Every structure is written in structure tokens, then in C-alpha cells.
Amino acid sequence: MKGFLYPLQILLFSASLLGAPVMAQPVVRIAVPDITSLLSDNRDGVYQKILHRALQGLDVAVTEQFFPYKRAMMVFEERGTDCIYSFSDVLKRRLGEDAVIASFPLGKFTYYLFTPREADPVSSLAQLEGKAVGAVIGHEVYLDAVLEDRELKVIWSKSDAQNLAMLEHRRFGAMIAAVPDVRPLLDNLSYDPQAPLLESYDRLTCHNTPDNRQFLSRLSTRLKALKETGVYRELAGDLYLEFEDRVPEPGSSVLN
């Protein structure tokens, strides 16, 4: 009898495996903030092109959802998505150094002061004390520390293009914007490239989980290879901003 039961048990176990549902491939959900020229709801922003090219070498399913600038970060913080483009340093301050991890850079950005094309460039915020400056809503997550203790009236608008229009109508003395985001408007602006207000990197930022660590480690390897072979420059065109690769410190949450 025992000799009969053993083969039967094997058959029943095999049947249970065949009838079991196939585990779906995990999907990485990415929040896409509205960053001028670099990210869009049409999935054709520079960073999206770079990320999508990198994903061609990985067996990973990804979904993207576009949000207004500040809402994208809120959705990520509430774990409505696994990852988000940019905000690495901001989210480390808000959630804690160990709460988030970040990929090899998708690009570098630098904030400057801009004046109308015919005007002299402004090299420091001290030159604007007591005056109004323009900036884009949401960018305060980066600029608050820069503007702290300054006697400035900041006028927040929806876009760099809107700020340019107000600048040309003398609504304020200068506008704060980031390169490369603002490059399509540079023919109408003047600035001092030797006087940056703030420099940082845009990365894919994710919640610190084992799955996300594995995903970002593989993704970073692909991103680094794309930069080294000139694909970043090819995909970004005039919006490409050169940056140096930096080896992360031991224990860093940046996965290069």
C-alpha cells in the first residue's frame, strides 16, 4: 500500500504545481514630477529617454505616473510609488538618510540668477536685497536654504517661461532657475556662469528596500555605461550638462 501511496503523492504534488498561479513580475512604480525640459507627461523628457534606454538591458517592469512638482514628492513620501525622479537630497533630509536610496545620476543641475538679455548679470543674492525675484513653485524644496535670511520678496509662478515673461515686464529684478532646465530660454536671459547658487544631481530615488536596492544597483551599472559611451549626450542634445562620476563613500545611499 505504501508503495502505491508514494507515487500518488508525487502526482498530486505535481498537479498542484501545474495548477498554481504564475507569480507576476514585480512592477517598479515611478512618480514623474514636472521638471522643465527634463520630464514630461508624454514620457519624452530627457531623463525619461535615458532611463528607458537603460531599462532595455534589464528584465524589469516599470510604470510611470506624472504629477505636478510638489504632489509627486508627496505621493512618493506616502509610498504611493516605489521611486521618483530627482529629490534625492531633499528626501534624505525629510525621511532620513537611511530611508531612501538613489541611482547613478541621470544628470546634473545648477541654479543661477538670471536677468533680461540686455541687462548686466547678477552674481549674488546680496545685489538684490530689498527687491523681488521670481522662482518656480515647488523649487523651494531646494531654494529655501539658499534664500534663508535674505531680505527678498520671492514671487512664485508655475514655470520658467512665465517667470521670463514677468521678468521682461519688470515684475522683478531677477529670476532663479536651473540649468539645463532653462536652456531653451537662454537666448532671452543673461547670467554669470561663474556664480552658481546651488549645484546637485538628479537621480532616480527609491524607498530603501531589498528589491529596490537590487533594482538600483543593476540600473546604475547600465546608466554609468550609457554615460561613458556617450549615450547621455546623444539623448540630451543641447540639454546635456557634463558632470564627473564620483565614487560613493562607504555606506552611502547612492548606488553607483
Side-chain angles (χ1 to χ4, degrees):
M1 184 66 176
K2 289 182 179 178
F4 171 75
L5 286 175
Y6 183 67
L8 180 61
Q9 289 170 341
I10 294 176
L11 287 172
L12 290 172
F13 178 69
S14 300
S16 69
L17 289 178
L18 291 172
V22 177
M23 294 298 289
Q25 182 182 11
V27 175
V28 179
R29 302 164 301 161
I30 302 176
V32 183
D34 184 6
I35 299 181
T36 306
S37 308
L38 302 177
L39 295 167
S40 78
D41 56 352
N42 294 324
R43 293 170 58 88
D44 60 356
V46 169
Y47 292 160
Q48 287 157 301
K49 291 178 181 178
I50 292 172
L51 182 70
H52 298 162
R53 178 70 67 89
L55 290 172
Q56 291 176 7
L58 303 177
D59 185 20
V60 178
V62 165
T63 62
E64 294 187 338
Q65 189 169 359
F66 185 82
F67 298 99
Y69 197 88
K70 294 174 72 173
R71 179 166 174 76
M73 189 158 52
M74 182 186 73
V75 170
F76 173 81
E77 288 178 312
E78 295 177 352
R79 291 189 173 269
T81 62
D82 304 294
C83 305
I84 184 172
Y85 286 94
S86 195
F87 300 123
S88 305
D89 295 336
V90 174
L91 289 166
K92 285 178 189 177
R93 291 197 301 269
R94 289 192 180 192
L95 304 179
E97 284 286 336
D98 297 329
V100 296
I101 50 179
S103 72
F104 180 82
L106 293 162
K108 177 184 176 180
F109 65 90
T110 308
Y111 279 99
Y112 294 96
L113 287 164
F114 293 89
T115 53
R117 186 67 181 176
E118 67 278 4
D120 293 332
V122 175
S123 300
S124 73
L125 289 169
Q127 295 175 252
L128 299 168
E129 293 286 348
K131 299 180 181 179
V133 297
V136 173
I137 295 170
H139 288 208
E140 63 270 21
V141 297
Y142 288 107
L143 297 176
D144 275 351
V146 175
L147 298 171
E148 188 176 12
D149 299 326
R150 293 288 183 181
E151 295 296 325
L152 298 170
K153 178 185 178 182
V154 183
I155 299 175
W156 300 97
S157 72
K158 293 183 178 180
S159 69
D160 290 318
Q162 186 173 344
N163 276 336
L164 172 60
M166 290 195 288
L167 183 67
E168 291 175 337
H169 285 86
R170 302 296 190 268
R171 288 285 304 279
F172 35 71
M175 60 182 269
I176 303 173
V179 175
D181 317 24
V182 77
R183 272 190 172 167
L185 306 176
L186 281 187
D187 286 348
N188 300 300
L189 293 166
S190 176
Y191 76 108
D192 182 355
Q194 303 303 315
L197 295 178
L198 180 150
E199 293 181 336
S200 190
Y201 297 92
D202 282 318
R203 309 171 186 269
L204 191 69
T205 309
C206 302
H207 293 291
N208 191 356
T209 67
D211 285 347
N212 287 344
R213 290 191 73 86
Q214 182 181 39
F215 166 58
L216 284 192
S217 179
R218 296 171 61 204
L219 176 67
S220 290
T221 299
R222 289 283 301 146
L223 290 173
K224 191 171 185 178
L226 292 180
K227 181 182 182 299
E228 290 175 348
T229 55
V231 175
Y232 270 39
R233 185 184 294 274
E234 171 194 329
L235 294 177
D238 292 340
L239 294 175
Y240 181 74
L241 192 65
E242 185 57 72
F243 62 89
E244 295 180 3
D245 304 346
R246 293 184 181 178
V247 178
E249 298 177 0
S252 170
S253 58
V254 175
L255 304 181
N256 279 14

